[in-house]
């Protein structure tokens, strides 16, 4: 069902276009695959809240399985699914959520309101000219993960 | 003088005629098509037809069989020929429309329309379909036609099967989600478990590939809600977000979407027409300048003032370089000749010989690498010199 409501992008050109055509709004790109359980949980939350945030945000899904989006997968260094990346006026927005990676949100949101809060904070920050914002969620609501380096 | 004016006036007023684009009668004669209002309506008018033709082109690329119950719905109004193309009695979707758009009659009508209303003749190809495409389409159709009868029956039974399958699929999904829910409750896990077995057995996280070989990948230790991929792309040569590489949506591959060279005059004209609502927004917001520019570009694209950037790397102005004698064009020719010479590496010896000659002959051929920068000598001065 989610693919009906939220557009699923499978080509680099499509992603380029949506990034370049979203003006003065936050663009939320979810990188993941539909076959994945966790991804579906996140998609459900995105789908339910897409309308609530529609005045200041656009949500789209990206299928990482597709060959043609590997450029983006590599660029954003997406090794964990689902990962959510935010843009504003074709600028990549960063989010400091206390985890190691500021460039994206890794994992799912626990509630609809969590997602809305994060997008709103990013929008407010971007309107004030900030490229990085602090996550408004309490730490127990942020999914934990660790960076593991080779030979560490 | 007054008499002359009086004579001229009635000749200016021409007969009333109907403008298809503006949908009103006017007596402005042929100059009507240069009116801004007409131009605006025309671009909207043509864009509407472009989208229609795009629909037809879709069927041209992937021909499909037209079901008898859909025949009456599948119709196109051709604005150039003032004709309704109804697909009754045709076996493939849009077949009559495709044939119509490829016909010479249609081509003639487009030309006439553009001459009467239109911006320029160079968009004729947008509104017609080439014969080569039609030939391809016919070939595809014949291939499809062989399967025709069998597939028609198959479609009906197939759809019903699909619905059943879907229902079953959904059910199984639901069961699975219920199954996993209890795991979701204990989301926050201690971080001391690093083995894959733990994650698979307890938290339902799926893994692809072996993680410990991976260069700098993220490993989720006992946390639900994350899946990791086999990072075959750990060997990044091109750089990524962390290393500050140029983002892929600004790479030159998408030139046609993004970085078209705009006419300054066009830009300002469009800019004036965009309402000043945006001025309420913070001018220092992220990417403000970019947003303004992009808005103008999008507006222009919408109006069909397509932003083409057909400028290749070899483009040169009419003159090639600073010149001191001869015409500008000759300097360009000279430049191009040299460029060609550079490609041919075998003629090095010849060039060196030429260089000697050039040095003796002085200015006219300021060629090759050691470019001698000389002060500009005016024509008169040179003439005087030669005269002396």
């Amino acid at each position: 069902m989610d693919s009906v409501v939220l557009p699923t992008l499978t080509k680099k050109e499509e992603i380029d276009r949506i990034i370049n055509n979203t003006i003065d709004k936050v663009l939320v790109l979810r990188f993941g695959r539909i076959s994945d359980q966790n991804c579906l949980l996140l998609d459900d939350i995105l789908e339910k809240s897409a309308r609530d945030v529609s005045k200041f945000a656009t949500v789209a899904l990206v299928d990482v399985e597709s060959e043609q989006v590997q450029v983006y997968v590599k660029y954003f260094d997406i090794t964990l699914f689902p990962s959510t990346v935010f843009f504003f006026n074709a600028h990549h927005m960063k989010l400091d959520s206390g985890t190691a990676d500021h460039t994206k949100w890794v994992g799912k949101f626990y509630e609809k309101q969590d997602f809305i809060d994060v997008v709103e904070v990013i929008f407010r920050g971007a309107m004030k000219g900030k490229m990085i914002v602090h996550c408004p969620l309490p730490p127990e609501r942020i999914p934990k993960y660790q960076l593991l380096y080779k030979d560490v | 003088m007054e008499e002359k004016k009086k004579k001229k006036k009635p000749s200016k007023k021409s007969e009333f005629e109907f403008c298809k684009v503006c949908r009103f009668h006017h007596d402005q004669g042929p100059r009507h098509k240069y009116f801004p209002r007409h131009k605006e309506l025309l671009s909207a008018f043509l864009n509407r037809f472009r989208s229609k033709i795009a629909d037809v082109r879709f069927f041209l690329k992937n021909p499909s069989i037209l079901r008898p119950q859909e025949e009456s719905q599948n119709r196109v109004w051709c604005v150039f020929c003032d004709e309704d193309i109804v697909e009754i009695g045709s076996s493939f979707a849009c077949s009559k429309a495709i044939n119509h758009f490829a016909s010479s009659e249609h081509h003639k009508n487009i030309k006439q329309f553009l001459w009467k209303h239109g911006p320029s003749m160079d968009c004729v190809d947008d509104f017609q379909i080439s014969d080569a495409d039609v030939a391809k389409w016919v070939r595809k159709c014949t291939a499809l036609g062989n399967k025709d009868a069998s597939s028609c029956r198959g479609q009906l039974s197939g759809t019903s099967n699909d619905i059943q399958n879907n229902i079953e699929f959904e059910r199984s999904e639901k069961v699975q989600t219920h199954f996993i829910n209890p795991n979701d409750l204990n989301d926050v896990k201690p971080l001391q478990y690093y083995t894959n077995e733990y994650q698979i057995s307890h938290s339902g996280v799926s893994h692809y590939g072996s993680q410990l070989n991976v260069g700098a990948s993220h490993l989720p230790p006992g946390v639900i809600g994350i899946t990791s991929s086999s990072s075959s792309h750990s060997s990044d040569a091109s750089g990524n977000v962390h290393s500050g590489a140029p983002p892929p949506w600004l790479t030159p591959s998408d030139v046609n979407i993004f970085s078209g060279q705009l006419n300054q005059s066009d830009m300002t004209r469009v800019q004036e027409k965009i309402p000043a609502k945006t001025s309420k927004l913070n001018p220092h917001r992220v990417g403000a300048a970019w947003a303004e520019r992009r808005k103008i570009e999008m507006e222009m694209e919408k109006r069909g003032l397509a932003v083409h950037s057909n400028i290749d790397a070899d483009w040169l102005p009419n003159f090639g370089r600073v010149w001191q004698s001869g015409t500008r064009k000759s300097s360009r020719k000279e430049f191009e000749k040299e460029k060609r010479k550079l490609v041919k590496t075998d003629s090095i010896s010849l060039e060196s010989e030429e260089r000697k000659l050039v040095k003796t002959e002085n200015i006219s051929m300021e060629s090759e690498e050691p470019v001698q920068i000389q002060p500009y000598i005016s024509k008169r001065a040179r003439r005087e010199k030669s005269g002396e």
Side-chain angles (χ1 to χ4, degrees):
Chain A
M1 274 300 283
D2 49 23
S3 60
V4 178
V5 181
L6 298 175
T8 305
L9 313 175
T10 52
K11 285 180 191 155
K12 180 183 178 286
E13 296 86 57
E14 287 174 339
I15 302 178
D16 288 344
R17 203 176 307 128
I18 200 166
I19 291 175
N20 284 326
N21 288 358
T22 310
I23 294 174
D24 292 336
K25 265 187 179 186
V26 178
L27 172 65
V28 182
L29 285 187
R30 185 279 280 153
F31 286 82
R33 47 163 87 99
I34 291 194
S35 57
D36 195 54
Q37 277 301 337
N38 303 312
C39 230
L40 286 176
L41 288 171
L42 176 65
D43 286 356
D44 186 42
I45 285 174
L46 295 186
E47 187 197 317
K48 279 194 281 186
S49 42
R51 187 151 178 254
D52 296 340
V53 297
S54 63
K55 279 209 171 175
F56 59 94
T58 313
V59 186
L61 314 177
V62 178
D63 184 15
V64 290
E65 300 276 83
S66 164
E67 273 298 304
Q68 296 181 51
V69 301
Q70 291 309 311
V71 184
Y72 275 96
V73 174
K74 263 183 205 166
Y75 179 73
F76 288 114
D77 190 23
I78 288 162
T79 44
L80 302 176
F81 306 131
S83 288
T84 314
V85 185
F86 302 93
F87 299 88
F88 188 85
N89 276 346
H91 287 260
H92 178 212
M93 295 297 295
K94 291 181 181 177
L95 179 70
D96 182 1
S97 49
T99 50
D101 196 350
H102 293 174
T103 57
K104 54 190 167 282
W105 180 274
V106 178
K108 59 178 201 224
F109 290 95
Y110 287 82
E111 262 177 38
K112 204 174 127 182
Q113 192 56 46
D114 288 354
F115 171 71
I116 296 172
D117 286 347
V118 166
V119 175
E120 190 180 337
V121 162
I122 288 174
F123 179 74
R124 283 176 191 273
M127 287 309 262
K128 288 175 188 158
K130 299 204 166 72
M131 301 288 283
I132 184 163
V133 292
H134 286 280
C135 181
L137 305 184
E140 66 267 16
R141 288 176 166 276
I142 299 168
K144 302 272 188 312
Y145 61 95
Q146 268 202 348
L147 291 173
L148 247 211
Y149 291 95
K150 198 178 176 181
D151 306 329
V152 173
Chain B
M1 285 294 282
E2 278 182 8
E3 279 177 16
K4 264 186 189 174
K5 268 186 186 173
K6 272 178 189 172
K7 268 180 192 173
K8 265 187 183 174
K9 263 195 175 173
S11 69
K12 259 188 184 175
K13 293 265 176 185
S14 53
E15 277 181 19
F16 272 95
E17 60 180 324
F18 185 69
C19 177
K20 243 203 280 191
V21 179
C22 308
R23 294 212 194 106
F24 63 58
H25 286 86
H26 63 85
D27 58 347
Q28 291 148 348
R31 70 204 166 101
H32 171 72
K33 71 173 172 180
Y34 301 110
F35 281 41
R37 186 181 153 68
H38 173 85
K39 275 185 177 173
E40 216 167 89
L41 286 170
L42 180 71
S43 65
F45 183 84
L46 291 182
N47 273 342
R48 243 177 292 142
F49 192 67
R50 268 198 197 106
S51 68
K52 269 190 200 175
I53 259 218
D55 292 344
V56 175
R57 285 232 163 90
F58 171 79
F59 286 110
L60 184 72
K61 271 187 187 165
N62 17 335
S64 56
I65 291 151
L66 189 65
R67 289 197 211 125
Q69 64 265 29
E70 288 168 358
E71 265 179 7
S72 54
Q73 293 163 12
N74 195 335
R75 52 165 64 185
V76 182
W77 173 260
C78 178
V79 290
F80 300 112
C81 313
D82 281 336
E83 216 177 285
D84 204 3
I85 307 153
V86 188
E87 305 279 340
I88 286 179
S90 54
S91 51
F92 294 99
C94 290
S95 66
K96 279 192 182 165
I98 287 167
N99 284 326
H100 174 85
F101 290 141
S103 67
S104 61
E105 183 80 357
H106 178 71
H107 180 70
K108 216 171 75 186
N109 281 331
I110 295 173
K111 276 192 164 175
Q112 204 177 357
F113 179 92
L114 291 179
W115 173 77
K116 199 175 170 192
H117 303 283
S120 58
M121 283 297 180
D122 53 4
C123 54
V124 172
D125 287 338
D126 292 2
F127 305 114
Q128 64 173 3
I129 292 169
S130 68
D131 291 335
D133 286 342
V134 174
K136 255 189 220 167
W137 174 74
V138 168
R139 237 176 288 142
K140 275 184 195 168
C141 279
T142 46
L144 247 185
N146 298 334
K147 300 171 192 169
D148 192 357
S150 58
S151 65
C152 260
R153 269 173 235 140
Q155 271 173 352
L156 287 175
S157 58
T159 47
S160 62
N161 279 345
D162 279 351
I163 291 163
Q164 263 186 346
N165 285 342
N166 279 342
I167 291 165
E168 278 172 6
F169 184 63
E170 274 170 22
R171 267 188 206 146
S172 66
E173 262 185 1
K174 269 179 195 164
V175 170
Q176 277 180 6
T177 48
H178 281 302
F179 198 68
I180 276 170
N181 271 342
N183 278 339
D184 283 354
L185 291 176
N186 44 3
D187 254 352
V188 183
K189 297 246 169 176
L191 299 180
Q192 60 262 42
Y193 298 97
Y194 283 90
T195 50
N196 288 347
E197 296 100 298
Y198 172 80
Q199 286 157 20
I200 290 163
S201 57
H202 289 261
S203 59
V205 171
S206 37
H207 281 274
Y208 301 87
S210 60
Q211 244 111 32
L212 293 172
N213 304 339
V214 166
S217 81
H218 313 264
L219 187 74
V223 171
I224 310 163
I226 297 161
T227 311
S228 83
S229 69
S230 70
S231 325
S232 55
H233 46 255
S234 58
S235 57
D236 270 343
S238 53
N240 55 21
V241 169
H242 309 297
S243 59
W249 61 93
L250 296 178
T251 47
S253 65
D254 53 12
V255 169
N256 49 351
I257 306 170
F258 186 61
S259 64
Q261 298 294 318
L262 293 179
N263 261 347
Q264 204 61 40
S265 62
D266 282 348
M267 270 181 86
T268 48
R269 212 189 310 145
V270 175
Q271 209 165 11
E272 284 162 12
K273 282 176 188 172
I274 293 175
K277 184 188 151 197
T278 51
S279 58
K280 275 184 197 167
L281 299 176
N282 181 5
H284 299 300
R285 68 190 187 276
V286 173
W290 179 89
E292 297 302 317
R293 199 165 44 107
R294 182 74 190 132
K295 238 178 249 172
I296 295 165
E297 273 180 12
M298 279 170 71
E299 184 71 17
M300 290 185 69
E301 276 165 25
K302 211 166 65 184
R303 288 191 196 176
L305 296 167
V307 188
H308 292 303
S309 57
N310 297 331
I311 301 157
D312 54 342
D314 294 339
W315 184 86
L316 275 178
N318 214 356
F319 50 95
R321 54 167 57 145
V322 178
W323 78 107
Q324 289 203 327
S325 63
T327 58
R328 289 181 172 207
K329 209 178 173 186
S330 68
S331 80
R332 185 194 177 173
K333 275 182 187 164
E334 194 183 294
F335 182 82
E336 276 170 356
K337 210 194 287 168
E338 276 167 33
K339 215 175 166 191
R340 243 173 280 142
K341 260 185 204 166
L342 278 178
V343 178
K344 291 177 196 167
T345 47
D346 53 338
S347 61
I348 297 166
S349 58
L350 274 174
E351 270 181 37
S352 60
E353 276 178 26
E354 266 178 293
R355 209 176 292 164
K356 282 172 196 167
L357 284 173
V358 166
K359 272 182 184 169
T360 53
E361 278 179 8
N362 208 2
I363 313 162
S364 65
M365 296 271 275
E366 37 171 335
S367 60
E368 273 78 62
E369 293 108 71
V371 180
Q372 294 178 353
I373 300 167
Q374 295 164 331
Y376 175 70
I377 309 162
S378 72
K379 234 178 187 178
R380 190 203 260 167
R382 258 180 286 150
R383 216 182 299 144
E384 279 171 4
K385 243 186 196 176
S386 61
E388 280 169 12

